[in-house]
């Protein structure tokens, strides 16, 4: 009997009690991984409400009912020590950690001129610091194992960015900044950890969850046929990136939703100007850049949204 793609591997999925994280945890378990289901369990998408083990317990029970192996961790990954305990739980239980899927996040939406310091800090803390915390301890584990073995080991990190970073999102300066920071964390970590056998990639998922319920208002689940916005359609890409089959995929950003995966190219120079003198002065810059931008269509900004066929706003 052929082994499943993730047979014998252990994985952590953060924010796995609902939505995308739930779908990802179920998919990793279906592919054979033993999964630590992490979720702080607060009911509000803004991180409000009393924490509960209920959501994580339900997902873990679903995995076990299907014949898989699952543990529950209800800590807050934005807390450095609790993230350490999460990674240690996987290592102590399964002997090693192989996969980390960083998905946990909250929203505190507001226009930049109205955003409070607390709203900024909360979103950056859960998304960006939460991704860093788990990455930090998992990376140390893999580095130590690799040094002890004198060879690369197996390690996979899948981070969660957003099209709010790619295309802009007027009412989410904190969220867009956090998701952009996650891409930077991804590419830096990919370069640092590649020699140890570890790959680090990020996805921009488009799915209907409680985090995006207002964005996809009017795009309800169809009565029949394929629902392109179902979280379950994102999960297979996460399973692939977590698998041995994706050994050569590292430092990449991929947009995914039902029936579509797009590999995002790193930024390239669109046009270059050379000064007629040794260096540019104000007047010459006004001439060359002023002319260049005056010739572009009014309102045109970055091209990622148009290339990927995205609409403006968080997706």
């Amino acid at each position: 009997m052929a082994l499943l793609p993730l047979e014998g591997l252990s994985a952590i999925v953060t924010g796995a009690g609902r939505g995308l994280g739930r779908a990802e945890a179920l998919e990793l378990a279906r592919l054979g991984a033993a999964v630590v289901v992490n979720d702080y369990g607060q009911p509000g998408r803004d991180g409000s409400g009393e924490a509960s083990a209920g959501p994580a317990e339900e997902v873990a029970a679903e995995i076990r009912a299907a014949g898989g192996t699952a543990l529950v961790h209800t800590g807050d990954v934005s807390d450095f020590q609790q993230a350490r305990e999460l990674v240690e739980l996987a290592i102590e239980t399964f002997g090693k950690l192989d996969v980390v899927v960083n998905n946990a996040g909250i929203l505190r939406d507001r226009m930049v001129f109205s955003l409070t310091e607390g709203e900024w800090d909360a979103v950056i803390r859960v998304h960006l610091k939460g991704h860093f915390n788990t990455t930090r301890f998992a990376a140390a584990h893999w580095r130590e194992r690799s040094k002890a073995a004198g060879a690369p080991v197996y390690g996979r990190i899948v981070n969660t960015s957003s099209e709010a970073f790619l295309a802009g999102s007027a009412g989410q300066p904190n969220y867009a900044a956090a998701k952009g920071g996650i891409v930077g964390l991804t590419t830096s970590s990919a370069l640092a950890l590649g020699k140890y056998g570890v790959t680090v990639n990020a996805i921009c998922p488009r799915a209907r969850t409680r985090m995006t319920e207002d964005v996809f208002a009017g795009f309800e689940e169809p009565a029949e046929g394929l629902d392109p916005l179902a979280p379950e359609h994102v999960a297979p890409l996460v399973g692939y990136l977590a698998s041995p089959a994706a050994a050569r995929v590292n430092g990449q950003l991929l947009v995914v939703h039902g029936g579509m995966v797009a590999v995002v190219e790193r930024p390239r120079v669109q046009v270059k100007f050379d000064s007629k003198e040794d260096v540019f002065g104000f007047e010459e810059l006004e001439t060359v850049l002023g002319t260049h931008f005056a010739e572009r269509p009014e309102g045109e900004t970055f091209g990622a949204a148009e290339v990927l066929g995205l609409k403006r706003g968080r997706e």
Side-chain angles (χ1 to χ4, degrees), residues 115-134:
L115 194 70
T116 68
E117 181 181 16
E119 291 164 340
W120 172 272
D121 289 348
V123 170
I124 296 297
R125 185 173 189 266
V126 175
H127 285 276
L128 186 52
K129 186 182 178 186
H131 273 59
F132 159 71
N133 285 346
T134 53

Side-chain angles (χ1 to χ4, degrees), residues 247-271:
R248 298 184 64 181
V249 184
N250 193 26
Q252 300 299 311
L253 176 65
L254 303 98
V255 177
V256 56
H257 64 86
M260 192 280 289
V261 173
V263 180
V264 180
E265 189 173 23
R266 295 194 181 189
R268 295 188 300 167
V269 174
Q270 181 187 71
V271 62

Side-chain angles (χ1 to χ4, degrees), residues 208-297:
R208 185 187 298 104
T209 69
R210 66 173 183 155
M211 293 275 284
T212 60
E213 58 189 12
D214 54 340
V215 173
F216 294 122
F219 294 90
E220 283 71 26
E221 182 177 352
E224 57 184 35
L226 176 72
D227 177 11
L229 296 176
E232 290 73 22
H233 300 319
V234 171
L237 176 61
V238 174
Y240 167 73
L241 293 174
S243 77
R248 298 184 64 181
V249 184
N250 193 26
Q252 300 299 311
L253 176 65
L254 303 98
V255 177
V256 56
H257 64 86
M260 192 280 289
V261 173
V263 180
V264 180
E265 189 173 23
R266 295 194 181 189
R268 295 188 300 167
V269 174
Q270 181 187 71
V271 62
K272 182 172 74 74
F273 301 101
D274 294 314
S275 174
K276 296 178 181 178
E277 307 297 332
D278 291 335
V279 294
F280 274 108
F282 178 89
E283 292 78 9
E284 189 180 7
L285 285 171
E286 182 181 25
T287 299
V288 296
L289 293 181
T291 301
H292 172 69
F293 287 106
E295 292 173 349
R296 300 181 68 181

Side-chain angles (χ1 to χ4, degrees), residues 76-289:
D76 177 3
V77 293
S78 69
D79 181 279
F80 197 67
Q81 181 58 32
Q82 291 182 53
R84 181 201 298 267
E85 293 168 358
L86 169 60
V87 172
E88 289 177 347
L89 173 63
I91 296 169
E92 291 169 1
T93 304
F94 303 117
K96 61 183 174 62
L97 172 64
D98 302 293
V99 178
V100 174
V101 178
N102 286 310
N103 171 74
I106 63 170
L107 295 177
R108 300 282 177 90
D109 292 354
R110 203 178 296 276
M111 299 296 284
V112 68
F113 42 77
S114 302
L115 194 70
T116 68
E117 181 181 16
E119 291 164 340
W120 172 272
D121 289 348
V123 170
I124 296 297
R125 185 173 189 266
V126 175
H127 285 276
L128 186 52
K129 186 182 178 186
H131 273 59
F132 159 71
N133 285 346
T134 53
T135 297
R136 156 68 175 82
F137 295 112
H141 167 64
W142 290 320
R143 179 174 178 267
E144 290 169 6
R145 284 177 52 204
S146 178
K147 291 178 68 176
V153 296
Y154 191 97
R156 300 285 188 268
I157 297 176
V158 182
N159 290 329
T160 306
S161 183
S162 170
E163 291 172 305
F165 152 69
L166 282 173
S169 186
Q172 296 184 301
N174 47 1
Y175 182 79
K179 292 304 189 182
I182 286 168
V183 174
L185 173 65
T186 298
T187 55
S188 175
S189 301
L191 288 173
L193 301 179
K195 64 182 179 180
Y196 301 117
V198 179
T199 67
V200 189
N201 295 287
I203 63 170
C204 293
R206 196 186 307 182
R208 185 187 298 104
T209 69
R210 66 173 183 155
M211 293 275 284
T212 60
E213 58 189 12
D214 54 340
V215 173
F216 294 122
F219 294 90
E220 283 71 26
E221 182 177 352
E224 57 184 35
L226 176 72
D227 177 11
L229 296 176
E232 290 73 22
H233 300 319
V234 171
L237 176 61
V238 174
Y240 167 73
L241 293 174
S243 77
R248 298 184 64 181
V249 184
N250 193 26
Q252 300 299 311
L253 176 65
L254 303 98
V255 177
V256 56
H257 64 86
M260 192 280 289
V261 173
V263 180
V264 180
E265 189 173 23
R266 295 194 181 189
R268 295 188 300 167
V269 174
Q270 181 187 71
V271 62
K272 182 172 74 74
F273 301 101
D274 294 314
S275 174
K276 296 178 181 178
E277 307 297 332
D278 291 335
V279 294
F280 274 108
F282 178 89
E283 292 78 9
E284 189 180 7
L285 285 171
E286 182 181 25
T287 299
V288 296
L289 293 181

Side-chain angles (χ1 to χ4, degrees), residues 57-78:
E57 292 283 6
E58 289 176 9
V59 175
E62 193 170 350
I63 291 173
R64 296 186 196 112
T69 300
L71 299 178
V72 169
H73 182 272
T74 57
D76 177 3
V77 293
S78 69

